[in-house]
Amino acid sequence: MIPSDRLEFAFTTSADCSKIPRVPLADSTLGVHKVSQPQLLTHRIVVPPQPTDSSTGGSQKLPLAAWESLYPAGSISPSSPIKGGFGFYLSGPEAFKAASADAREVIMGYEVMFEESWEWVKGGKLPGIFGGIGNAAYGCSGGRKDERCKCFDLRLMWRANGLGELYAYLPLDPTNTARLLAVPPFSHQNPDYGFSVGRGAWRFTSGKWIKVATRIKMNDVGQENGEVEVYIDGESVIRIEGLVLRDDPASYVQGLHFQTFFGGHSADWASPKDQRAWFTSVSGAVIRDCGRTRDEL
């Protein structure tokens, strides 16, 4: 992935990395805010179960704590009668939050484990990087069309049979459309929602910890030189160059949109049974870029 000597202002909740400052897995230390329906959708901290498949990937040391997500039978999107998963925004520790506001390049990630015998159905959402200009960065999802030039949201999805994809909301720009649709093995522009990008570039499996990370490099204003890259278990599975992520230097990476649920919005997306997934090793780092600040980009 990224050489350690290029990482600065880094943090992690993992006990598996001695070179990066460790912080607790806690809302207060990680800058968790805008929690969706906290009385109904919880992200309680638990001791996660032992993986049933520990052959490759994931933590070498078993995590002592993880956020648990419950997806009840019949649950789909957060607006459905039966609700599942959880959602919030995460800006990271204060030092990271301040550094990322001036950064051109940032990487953030986490580990996820789906319980054994997980049923994928048609798909569901997973956390990813978000950003933009001030409060316009929030809610860059759900079919949003207005002010898309002021925001970006790069969640991931699992699809049927565990196929993975990048689920992208970017500024509505012809260059972005062309770049996103060119990503193999399959990419699609959803009529009313985000872009499904690189579906099948990797496959999620259940019963093991999977490392997920996304790197984003902001474009210079007026140029088509932004980048997005997805890593699974340390391997680059999607890399897109030539993107327009902003047209204003005030737009920047604001953290992780930590959202997960089954869906889709119709019943055929729903979880067929009560299922659980766990999230841990939340991490982030500003990637050193020759000392430039946001005002110089």
Side-chain angles (χ1 to χ4, degrees), residues 51-70:
T52 55
D53 176 5
S54 58
S55 57
T56 59
S59 291
Q60 296 178 14
K61 297 179 182 178
L62 296 178
L64 299 177
W67 281 322
E68 183 179 72
S69 181
L70 171 64

Side-chain angles (χ1 to χ4, degrees), residues 159 162-166 184-186 197-203 237-238:
R159 290 283 187 168
L163 295 183
E165 70 175 41
L166 172 66
F186 172 79
V197 181
R199 186 181 304 172
W202 75 94
R203 186 186 295 271
V237 292
I238 290 177

